Amino acid sequence: MDRTTSTPAGAAAALDLVAAPACACDAAGMVIAANAAMSALAGEPLAGRSLLDLFRGAAAQQAADELRAAVSAERHWRATLSVGGKAIAADVRAKPLPAGWGLPGASFVFTDLGALENGQEALRKTMLEQQAILDHAPVGIVFTKPGLLKECNPRLAEMVGYSVDELADRDAGEMFATLDAYQSFRDEAFAALAKGGSYENPECPFRRRDGSLFWARVRASAVVPGEREAGTIWIIEDVSETREARRELQALVNNASLAIMFTREQRIRRGNAGFFEMFGYAVGECEGLPVACLHPDRAAFERVVAEAYPLFAEGRTYQGEVQLAKKDGTPIWSKVIGYPVNPDDLSHGYVWIAEDRTRQRRDEQALREALQENQAIFDTAVLGIAVVENGHTLHGNRKMEELFGHAPGTMTGVSIRSLYPDVEGWQAARLDTARDFAAGRVSVSERLLVRSDGATFWGRLSGRPFDQDDPGGRSLWLVDDVTAQHEAAEAVRRARDELELRVSARTAELAGANALLQDEIVERRQAEARVHHMAYHDSLTGLPNRALLADRLQQAIHAAQRNGTRLAVMFLDLDRFKNINDSLGHATGDYLLKEVAARLCHVVRASDTVARLGGDEFVVLVPGAGTQEECSQVGDKIIEALGAPVRFEGHSLHISPSIGICVYPDDGADVDLLMRHADAAMYQAKAAGRNNYQFFKERMDGEVARAFAMHALESNLRQALANGEFEPFYQPIMDMRTRRVHALEVLLRWRRPEHGLVMPDDFIPTLEENGMIVPVGEWVIRRACEQSMAWQRAGLAPVPLAINLSARQFMHRALVASIKRIVDETGIDPQLVEFEITETALMQHGEQTLEILDQINRMGMRLSIDDFGTGYSSLAYLKRFPVRKIKIDRAFIRELEASSEDRAIVAAVMALANSLQLQVVAEGVETEEQLALLRDYGCQYVQGWLFARALDAEAARELLAG
């Protein structure tokens, strides 16, 4: 649609679209345009009058203040108008006029509150609270005499990149792309003007001072018709944006995944590509067909007509979910939206938008069937099952009602206290349950319970919370009647007690005589055992130490030599244990080491040896394991056992091992050589990315070379920042609805001399370990903000930046002050900065994390959770964190088409985000199929190679400019 070329006329046209009284004023409060509803409210035309004439007394003073403020910001207040001697209560909304007008002022929309309260016909229109959209193209005006520009307004000078003075007496041909284009334009224009008429060209290319081109609408009139020497007035309107928008709109309609159809007289007139794809028609095949052919039968079509057409007659939109039919007769369920092209004249036809919801309907039916199956299992269980919250039952199955003597359906809301015969039993059960839930255990106990008729019975109770991070919340309980077992066990206990009394009486005399001697023997043996244990065992974990390990390894070598068998030595080192020990204290580190020792002992055989050499180094000796497959099975078990989180004092700790494996006799024939080779293989596992195992392949020379390479890498990284070798890259985050750039994620790259571009996985872990991540991270934030401001100064629209914060950087005490300093020095709008923190980093420090997030949020910056779903979130913290967005990790997107588990996880994350009013970004989108599934689940934003890889600054600028 062409844009208005005259500011007052364009304002009046735009205001006529508003269903409420509305007007536009300049900065002095003079009305430059008003719609008919506004004139009716004022009782007379307002154009050229002061808006303050409608107010009296205090209301006039308030209106004057609000008008001055509305020139630069949106305002909203309630006022009393004085019209024709009557006071009218009104709701007033104001917003600044568009900057392109070149005229400071504001638009005002009035809602007659008196009419709303009286329920008059104006209620429907004024309640819409529509805002006037004043969108006028900037207009340049220039006066020329033959061949020369004489005078122009500032807007024209701005359009072509000159000052007003520079354009005076300048050759008009400089504004055209080529001299030939200028001569052609001049001949055409003056031929029309010579006839006494005006000239108009809807789209003409012009050249700016920097050589770039723009498109403009040109109109011209002679000062004196027929006399060219008297001069010519030209009006030039920049329509580049309108022209581009028209092209984009056409592309959007043709490429939209939704079906869009235009109908008139109940026949199909036009459709987009999505329509042809959804219904199976070829382009042009269905034009002129009756709309009824898209419905399974005539009755279905008539039902839609009966519902939709009365709404169209009232100027309203029709929405519904109906069954349609493809060309081949295949039924599909679709969400349909329809509205008239011209509500005032329905003969112009209708626009229909359809979305295929067949798969969603099928999924909803499957979910209902699954819920029915679960309910059947719940009702037919042989154990009593109940859901409990706040000391009352929320649900109970039929067996639960039978156990406690309740009628069907009457267990809901029953107090748990009423299920115990006395207060003491109830209090003891509460304390034990709270203790078990707090420790993360299932609460299992046998309690004396009471039925509704007062009869008691013994019940075995088993309960667990729905959410381990919220032990005081909702819980699930199983109850079984064990009265018979309890009575039998009590009889056996009484018989055993009687037997023990008789035996005790007969042995009392002998026990007294031998007591002293036995005590001395026991004390001596205990002392010897303590000394022996201290010499050969680790004092913290109780595992064999280096000395005992060497002895057992030597014995295992001798046994293997005799039997012709093999054995494996596994050297373990805990990844990044030092970070946990330094940040959370030695008490946490000691607890973690003891937990690792317990888990290692649990996963290996009784004949294997688990030893601790010191620090975070462990060794597992596996006699009889010689093949690579056998060793791999043990290594996988160890990695799996250590992968589960360790909970300690409110922290959820994650640890992983790097494991080196060597085999006797292939990799060494003595204790020292096997230990060295296993240690070397362990370092290869660390170099391979940690949390894996590696078999020994190279000798000590390989290990030395690796150590030297790691040292060289750290040295080069320390020089990289000073030498300017780091470079930020930018990967776009796309808006699912518009497929436009929503934000840019900032990613770090290292242009290492003689090595080329190094990816972050190859050097970020080293920066984390040596602490350089803090200064490098601060440099990334500053460089990204400076780049954003440079783009804005170049005329590009501002785009938010998503910057990653590592766990170590996030907890640095100077982080908040550093961010504030960078924002102040670069001048970037804080709302354009968004920080991404991993889920694991957020959950490690509880209240301290919340305080840091609040400080960043108060500065006006956005926060998002990265790699969501790969950590261990506490919902109690998550709902308190001031985050606005979560990013679904690429691990759940990679197999989205083939994995029902991944689809279920993504659907659950979307449901959680919607309930917490969070935005969602899906990472790693590489196929259109993944994109379609994410669209079905309601995902707002996506990111991945389907749209763009990470781009350097110049490529990102070109993307934003395009």
Side-chain angles (χ1 to χ4, degrees):
M1 181 180 293
D2 292 338
R3 299 191 176 186
T4 308
T5 59
S6 173
T7 298
L15 293 173
D16 285 340
L17 300 177
V18 181
C23 66
C25 299
D26 60 17
M30 299 302 295
V31 177
I32 61 175
N35 63 4
M38 188 67 204
S39 298
L41 177 64
E44 57 183 328
L46 282 178
R49 293 180 53 195
S50 172
L51 182 63
L52 298 181
D53 291 346
L54 297 180
F55 302 88
R56 292 290 184 272
Q61 181 59 47
Q62 181 186 10
D65 296 338
E66 296 290 350
L67 188 148
R68 286 191 295 273
V71 173
S72 57
E74 294 189 10
R75 305 296 296 173
H76 180 199
W77 79 97
R78 180 166 178 167
T80 301
L81 306 181
S82 179
V83 177
K86 296 193 303 181
I88 300 177
D91 180 87
V92 187
R93 294 179 179 271
K95 62 185 295 183
L97 291 179
W101 283 32
L103 174 67
S107 62
F108 298 83
V109 178
F110 294 81
T111 300
D112 188 346
L113 298 180
L116 289 173
E117 294 168 358
N118 295 330
Q120 298 297 321
E121 180 59 24
L123 176 62
R124 181 176 67 82
K125 295 180 180 179
T126 56
M127 286 299 291
L128 293 177
E129 296 185 353
Q130 296 181 355
Q131 296 184 350
I133 304 174
L134 306 176
D135 187 15
H136 299 275
V139 176
I141 303 173
V142 61
F143 169 65
T144 67
K145 287 194 173 182
L148 294 177
L149 302 174
K150 302 305 293 182
E151 296 183 24
C152 70
N153 68 340
R155 178 55 188 149
L156 178 70
E158 179 185 352
M159 291 167 64
V160 296
Y162 291 89
S163 67
V164 174
D165 294 338
E166 289 175 328
L167 286 177
D169 294 325
R170 185 176 290 271
D171 186 353
E174 296 182 16
M175 296 175 55
F176 288 80
T178 64
L179 182 59
D180 291 340
Y182 169 62
Q183 292 175 347
S184 175
F185 170 83
R186 182 187 59 188
D187 295 342
E188 178 184 350
F190 285 111
L193 294 174
K195 298 177 181 179
S198 61
Y199 169 75
E200 181 171 349
N201 188 332
E203 288 186 354
C204 180
F206 283 87
R207 184 178 63 181
R208 298 187 181 92
R209 183 175 192 172
D210 59 6
S212 62
L213 298 180
F214 69 98
W215 291 84
R217 178 181 181 183
V218 181
R219 289 175 297 165
S221 297
V223 175
V224 179
E227 295 184 13
R228 181 179 174 186
E229 291 75 10
T232 308
I233 299 296
W234 304 83
I235 298 177
I236 301 175
E237 177 187 0
D238 189 343
V239 295
S240 300
E241 183 178 351
T242 303
R243 185 172 184 268
E244 183 64 23
R246 189 161 56 245
R247 294 174 57 190
E248 291 176 355
L249 177 60
Q250 186 64 38
L252 178 63
V253 171
N254 290 336
N255 296 302
S257 60
L258 300 177
I260 304 175
M261 172 182 65
F262 170 67
T263 68
R264 189 170 62 247
E265 298 175 350
Q266 296 190 355
R267 290 189 175 274
I268 302 171
R269 300 302 180 183
R270 192 176 296 108
N272 71 338
F275 168 78
F276 298 129
E277 180 180 356
M278 179 179 293
F279 290 96
Y281 288 96
V283 176
E285 182 180 2
C286 60
E287 293 183 5
L289 292 179
V291 179
C293 70
L294 303 181
H295 294 262
D297 51 56
R298 186 69 186 184
F301 170 67
E302 294 295 344
R303 283 195 298 270
V304 174
V305 170
E307 294 176 4
Y309 279 51
L311 296 176
F312 295 159
E314 298 175 3
R316 296 164 58 190
T317 300
Y318 166 77
Q319 293 191 37
E321 189 164 316
V322 299
Q323 192 173 38
L324 302 175
K326 293 187 175 183
K327 177 184 177 182
D328 59 5
T330 303
I332 58 174
W333 280 98
S334 176
K335 181 179 180 181
V336 177
I337 300 174
Y339 56 90
V341 174
N342 183 1
D344 297 326
D345 187 355
L346 299 183
S347 64
H348 289 185
Y350 308 93
V351 175
W352 300 85
I353 302 174
E355 177 186 6
D356 189 347
R357 291 187 54 83
T358 305
R359 179 167 51 192
Q360 290 89 327
R361 293 274 297 205
R362 185 170 59 249
D363 292 345
E364 291 169 1
Q365 179 62 28
L367 177 60
R368 283 193 294 270
E369 293 174 355
L371 291 175
Q372 292 173 356
E373 294 173 0
N374 290 339
Q375 186 64 40
I377 295 172
F378 183 73
D379 289 337
T380 59
V382 297
L383 296 177
I385 305 175
V387 178
V388 176
E389 185 175 32
N390 297 328
H392 291 79
T393 60
L394 297 181
H395 308 286
N397 68 344
R398 294 172 184 171
K399 184 61 177 178
M400 194 75 171
E401 294 167 348
E402 293 175 6
L403 285 175
F404 289 95
H406 284 263
T410 61
M411 280 294 291
T412 302
V414 172
S415 169
I416 302 302
R417 164 65 187 87
S418 66
L419 306 182
Y420 289 84
D422 51 53
V423 175
E424 291 75 11
W426 173 61
Q427 291 284 11
R430 286 184 60 199
L431 292 175
D432 291 344
T433 298
R435 188 181 303 111
D436 290 337
F437 284 3
R441 298 189 300 266
V442 174
S443 180
V444 179
S445 62
E446 291 186 3
R447 304 285 180 185
L448 187 62
L449 305 174
V450 62
R451 295 185 173 90
S452 61
D453 60 2
T456 60
F457 69 98
W458 283 94
R460 178 179 290 116
L461 288 78
S462 176
R464 63 175 179 82
F466 276 80
D467 184 0
Q468 291 290 350
D469 294 324
D470 185 15
R474 186 175 297 183
S475 57
L476 178 68
W477 288 88
L478 305 181
V479 182
D480 190 16
D481 188 346
V482 295
T483 303
Q485 298 92 312
H486 198 273
E487 292 175 351
E490 182 64 20
V492 172
R493 186 188 62 78
R494 287 196 300 269
R496 185 185 66 236
D497 291 345
E498 293 175 359
L499 179 61
E500 289 179 353
L501 286 174
R502 290 196 296 270
V503 173
S504 178
R506 290 185 175 271
T507 58
E509 295 180 1
L510 291 176
N514 292 328
L516 181 60
L517 178 60
Q518 292 296 328
D519 289 344
E520 293 177 353
I521 293 173
V522 169
E523 289 178 2
R524 181 173 180 180
R525 289 179 177 174
Q526 289 177 345
E528 292 175 351
R530 283 195 297 271
V531 172
H532 185 274
H533 189 276
M534 292 173 60
Y536 293 99
H537 290 79
D538 173 53
S539 60
L540 177 63
T541 63
L543 295 177
N545 60 11
R546 188 183 297 272
L548 182 54
L549 172 65
D551 181 69
R552 291 189 181 179
L553 179 54
Q554 187 63 58
Q555 294 178 17
I557 292 174
H558 291 328
Q561 288 175 341
R562 290 193 303 270
N563 301 328
T565 58
R566 301 153 70 88
L567 63 86
V569 177
M570 298 185 174
F571 200 109
L572 282 74
D573 185 271
L574 303 182
D575 301 330
R576 301 184 181 90
F577 171 78
K578 186 176 183 299
N579 292 343
I580 297 177
N581 205 40
D582 292 344
S583 61
L584 300 180
H586 294 291
T588 303
D590 291 346
Y591 181 89
L592 183 60
L593 290 173
K594 290 189 285 186
E595 181 65 18
V596 169
R599 294 185 182 183
L600 290 175
C601 292
H602 180 71
V603 298
V604 301
R605 303 171 302 181
S607 59
D608 300 335
T609 296
V610 178
R612 181 190 178 212
L613 303 186
D616 59 341
E617 296 180 341
F618 295 81
V619 173
V620 178
L621 171 60
V622 189
T627 67
Q628 184 167 343
E629 181 179 359
E630 292 172 337
C631 296
S632 297
Q633 291 176 353
V634 177
D636 289 335
K637 288 182 179 180
I638 292 174
I639 291 175
E640 181 180 0
L642 299 187
V646 178
R647 300 186 181 279
F648 180 69
E649 294 185 352
H651 298 289
S652 182
L653 309 176
H654 298 267
I655 200 71
S656 61
S658 294
I659 307 173
I661 305 174
C662 71
V663 178
Y664 169 87
D666 299 346
D667 301 326
D670 58 57
V671 172
D672 291 337
L673 195 56
L674 288 172
M675 291 293 289
R676 287 201 303 271
H677 288 176
D679 188 25
M682 182 272 292
Y683 279 104
Q684 293 174 8
K686 281 191 174 294
R690 299 181 171 82
N691 197 27
N692 70 97
Y693 53 82
Q694 297 289 328
F695 290 86
F696 178 79
K697 294 181 181 178
E698 301 178 357
R699 299 306 179 190
M700 294 303 295
D701 291 342
E703 179 187 354
V704 172
R706 186 201 63 80
F708 179 80
M710 288 298 296
H711 179 72
L713 177 62
E714 290 190 6
S715 299
N716 289 332
L717 281 172
R718 294 185 183 279
Q719 294 297 323
L721 183 60
N723 295 341
E725 296 172 8
F726 290 120
E727 180 179 350
F729 272 52
Y730 306 87
Q731 185 174 26
I733 299 172
M734 310 299 293
D735 189 316
M736 177 77 80
R737 181 177 58 83
T738 64
R739 282 210 174 191
R740 289 179 175 271
V741 177
H742 165 69
L744 294 175
E745 180 177 2
V746 183
L747 303 172
L748 183 61
R749 298 292 187 267
W750 177 19
R751 290 198 182 275
R752 187 177 181 184
E754 300 180 3
H755 290 77
L757 199 64
V758 182
M759 295 294 103
D761 289 345
D762 295 331
F763 64 89
I764 290 295
T766 304
L767 293 177
E768 289 275 7
E769 288 183 356
N770 62 22
M772 282 190 62
I773 192 64
V774 173
V776 172
E778 181 177 348
W779 179 87
V780 171
I781 298 173
R782 179 179 294 277
R783 186 68 190 90
C785 293
E786 291 173 346
Q787 183 63 74
S788 176
M789 295 304 295
W791 285 337
Q792 293 180 51
R793 287 192 295 270
L796 297 180
V799 175
L801 301 176
I803 305 173
N804 292 279
L805 291 179
S806 72
R808 189 161 186 174
Q809 183 185 5
F810 179 66
M811 295 310 301
H812 194 268
R813 61 181 180 274
L815 173 66
V816 176
S818 172
I819 293 173
K820 186 177 186 305
R821 183 172 60 256
I822 292 173
V823 170
D824 292 341
E825 292 174 0
T826 61
I828 191 171
D829 185 351
Q831 294 186 2
L832 294 179
V833 181
E834 177 179 301
F835 289 112
E836 296 184 359
I837 306 102
T838 64
E839 184 178 15
T840 302
L842 282 176
M843 296 303 154
Q844 284 184 348
H845 301 282
E847 294 297 329
Q848 186 179 359
T849 296
L850 183 58
E851 181 181 352
I852 296 175
L853 294 178
D854 285 338
Q855 293 182 41
I856 296 176
N857 185 57
R858 286 195 297 270
M859 285 192 286
M861 302 175 191
R862 301 174 183 266
L863 297 163
S864 65
I865 301 178
D866 197 9
D867 298 339
F868 189 81
T870 61
Y872 297 85
S873 293
S874 167
L875 294 179
Y877 274 118
L878 184 58
K879 69 182 182 180
R880 296 172 57 195
F881 288 159
V883 297
R884 301 186 183 181
K885 186 183 297 178
I886 57 177
K887 300 187 74 174
I888 304 177
D889 188 71
R890 66 185 66 248
F892 302 117
I893 306 301
R894 186 180 302 113
E895 302 294 334
L896 192 61
E897 306 101 306
S899 172
S900 60
E901 292 83 1
D902 287 346
R903 291 197 297 273
I905 290 173
V906 171
V909 172
M910 288 303 308
L912 174 64
N914 289 334
S915 64
L916 296 178
Q917 296 182 345
L918 300 176
Q919 297 175 341
V920 177
V921 178
E923 296 180 290
V925 179
E926 298 181 2
T927 66
E928 289 290 346
E929 290 78 9
Q930 295 170 351
L931 186 67
L933 287 169
L934 291 169
R935 182 184 294 109
D936 291 342
Y937 290 130
C939 184
Q940 299 100 322
Y941 306 107
V942 290
Q943 178 181 11
W945 290 359
L946 178 61
F947 305 98
R949 296 174 180 257
L951 308 172
D952 60 21
E954 179 58 26
R957 186 197 66 78
E958 294 177 0
L959 174 66
L960 295 179

